[in-house]
Amino acid sequence: MTEFHCPMCGVRSPVESLSWHCPECHGPWDLDFAASAVARNSLSGRVNSLWRYEEALPLSAAEARASVSLGEGRTPLVPLTGTVTAKLDFLMPTLSFKDRGAVMLAELARQLKPRRVIADSSGNAGTSIAAYCARAGLDCTVYVPAGTSPKKVEQIGAHGAHLEIVSGDREATARAARAAADEDGVFYASHVFNPYFLHGTKTYVYEIWEDLGGRLPETIVVPVGNGTLLLGAALAIDELYGHGLIDARPALIAVQAAAVAPLAFAFRAGADDVLADGAGRPDFPARTLAEGIAIPHPPRARQILTAVRATGGTFLTVTEEQIRAAQRDLAARGLYVESTGVACWAAVGAHGLDGRGTVLPLCGAGLKSGLASAP
């Protein structure tokens, strides 16, 4: 098994240590892993899940398919306009794209055999971790904010996970989980701090590459809170480009809700990290319909900003009314998507992205949180 390393201060740690962050700067880990090239002409006949890209994954595909896989991945591409295509990642076992990363964490935990697994989430990551831990036979506790959608809380409990409902916001929930993660024998299945999650989400781009005949679109648009889908996409783009499997890197377009947009503000200010509260940035305590990306202080902010700039991309924001309108518009087209998952479609209409070759994700099913109503 490979090692964790800290991208900020260079500290290293064996994966088996169950350490969930750098002991020096307390930042998220990266992974010492070099993906091998995936030959597109070798994919015919392989398993129809994300594990078909086994050369690019840091865990054994054969073991994971047998023990924890629920058939995640290989979601369809559906045209929305002549130039904009949606990838229906809400058609996953737990109805969100988070299954891509959760299956990696559950397989890693199964191999490490911790006393228990814990996770924190605004809903979708928690449901994914709960489901895959159930599949792997792992004891699991999920911390969620008190305001989490009742349907998501119900789903977490249905999978047999222990629930810890935390008073306060998403960041208070993360603090509570991280305190528990410091106990001996605990595996912190963090979709933010554990880089194995990013190696799962990168399969989103590998699937686009395969389904578009060995190419990528001009732009890839993703919603960003903690940045797990965007950073996974950046990993895949680097790997495909580095192996000569694509000729150019697509621009990464990151979308945030205007009500909670610390990364967009930092990007426009030319900053390398999100600005501290009271240091010239707006306050971002406002609630938003896009609860899944309402993250005021994302731990991987520096990496997110660097990844977007490296591809010539940008940050866009959308209002609450634009989110509501986008959700209804997609529903009228036959696609019922939760309010966080429609942010990118809202950005297409608000910022004129139509007219470019664009793929965007529809990340979570509308049944998870219902139709957004006017305030």
Side-chain angles (χ1 to χ4, degrees):
M1 197 170 287
T2 188
E3 282 190 320
F4 290 139
H5 76 268
C6 176
M8 296 298 295
C9 56
V11 169
R12 311 182 78 80
S13 177
V15 171
E16 296 89 340
S17 71
L18 298 183
S19 170
W20 62 268
H21 64 74
C22 171
E24 297 295 325
C25 68
H26 304 287
W29 291 120
D30 278 353
L31 190 65
D32 282 339
F33 171 72
S36 298
V38 176
R40 193 166 62 87
N41 60 8
S42 73
L43 295 175
S44 177
R46 288 194 184 187
V47 62
N48 197 33
S49 76
L50 64 79
W51 295 99
R52 69 197 280 110
Y53 312 110
E54 59 185 341
E55 297 94 334
L57 298 175
L59 291 171
S60 164
E63 286 186 54
R65 288 201 304 271
S67 57
V68 301
S69 178
L70 293 167
E72 57 288 328
R74 301 298 292 139
T75 56
L77 291 170
V78 175
L80 295 178
T81 73
T83 57
V84 178
T85 301
K87 188 161 173 58
L88 309 191
D89 253 30
F90 64 87
L91 298 180
M92 286 279 198
T94 76
L95 307 182
S96 92
F97 88 93
K98 296 287 177 62
D99 291 359
R100 293 185 183 276
V103 67
M104 300 292 288
L105 295 187
E107 172 58 16
L108 178 60
R110 187 191 69 81
Q111 293 184 22
L112 296 178
K113 298 179 172 56
R115 177 169 54 85
R116 66 175 178 137
V117 175
I118 66 167
D120 60 281
S121 170
S122 58
N124 282 338
T127 61
S128 289
I129 297 296
Y132 283 93
C133 282
R135 175 75 167 173
L138 297 165
D139 183 79
C140 178
T141 299
V142 179
Y143 290 71
V144 298
T148 300
S149 163
K151 296 177 190 251
K152 294 177 183 178
V153 172
E154 179 183 347
Q155 187 180 3
I156 292 167
H159 290 308
H162 310 286
L163 271 161
E164 291 285 347
I165 310 295
V166 179
S167 298
D169 60 12
R170 179 67 183 83
E171 296 210 332
T173 303
R175 287 193 296 272
R178 290 167 194 168
D182 287 330
E183 298 173 11
D184 289 339
V186 171
F187 178 89
Y188 183 25
S190 172
H191 58 293
V192 182
F193 280 79
N194 194 309
Y196 279 84
F197 195 93
L198 307 181
H199 284 272
T201 62
K202 76 181 180 185
T203 60
Y204 172 84
V205 166
Y206 273 91
E207 290 176 15
I208 295 172
W209 166 76
E210 181 184 358
D211 290 344
L212 293 184
R215 65 178 182 86
L216 290 178
E218 184 181 350
T219 59
I220 293 176
V221 185
V222 290
V224 174
N226 276 312
T228 55
L229 183 54
L230 182 139
L231 291 172
L235 268 176
I237 290 168
D238 285 348
E239 290 169 2
L240 289 167
Y241 186 77
H243 289 125
L245 296 172
I246 54 174
D247 296 328
R249 302 170 192 264
L252 286 171
I253 309 296
V255 179
Q256 294 207 284
V260 188
L263 289 159
F265 186 84
F267 182 85
R268 292 165 189 164
D272 294 330
D273 202 343
V274 293
L275 302 180
D277 294 337
R281 79 166 201 174
D283 228 358
F284 288 121
R287 293 181 61 82
T288 173
L289 295 168
E291 62 179 5
I293 54 174
I295 310 296
H297 302 283
R300 292 190 184 269
R302 284 182 174 271
Q303 291 174 278
I304 296 165
L305 291 162
T306 297
V308 171
R309 289 181 174 126
T311 65
T314 192
F315 278 81
L316 303 174
T317 59
V318 290
T319 67
E320 300 302 288
E321 185 49 47
Q322 288 165 343
I323 292 170
R324 274 190 289 269
Q327 188 184 37
R328 284 168 169 75
D329 179 70
L330 284 173
R333 297 167 183 258
L335 299 166
Y336 189 30
V337 184
E338 68 173 335
S339 49
T340 298
V342 306
C344 293
W345 181 236
V348 167
H351 297 279
L353 294 181
D354 203 354
R356 305 173 70 179
T358 298
V359 173
L360 57 84
L362 302 181
C363 297
L367 294 174
K368 283 180 164 259
S369 54
L371 194 63
S373 58

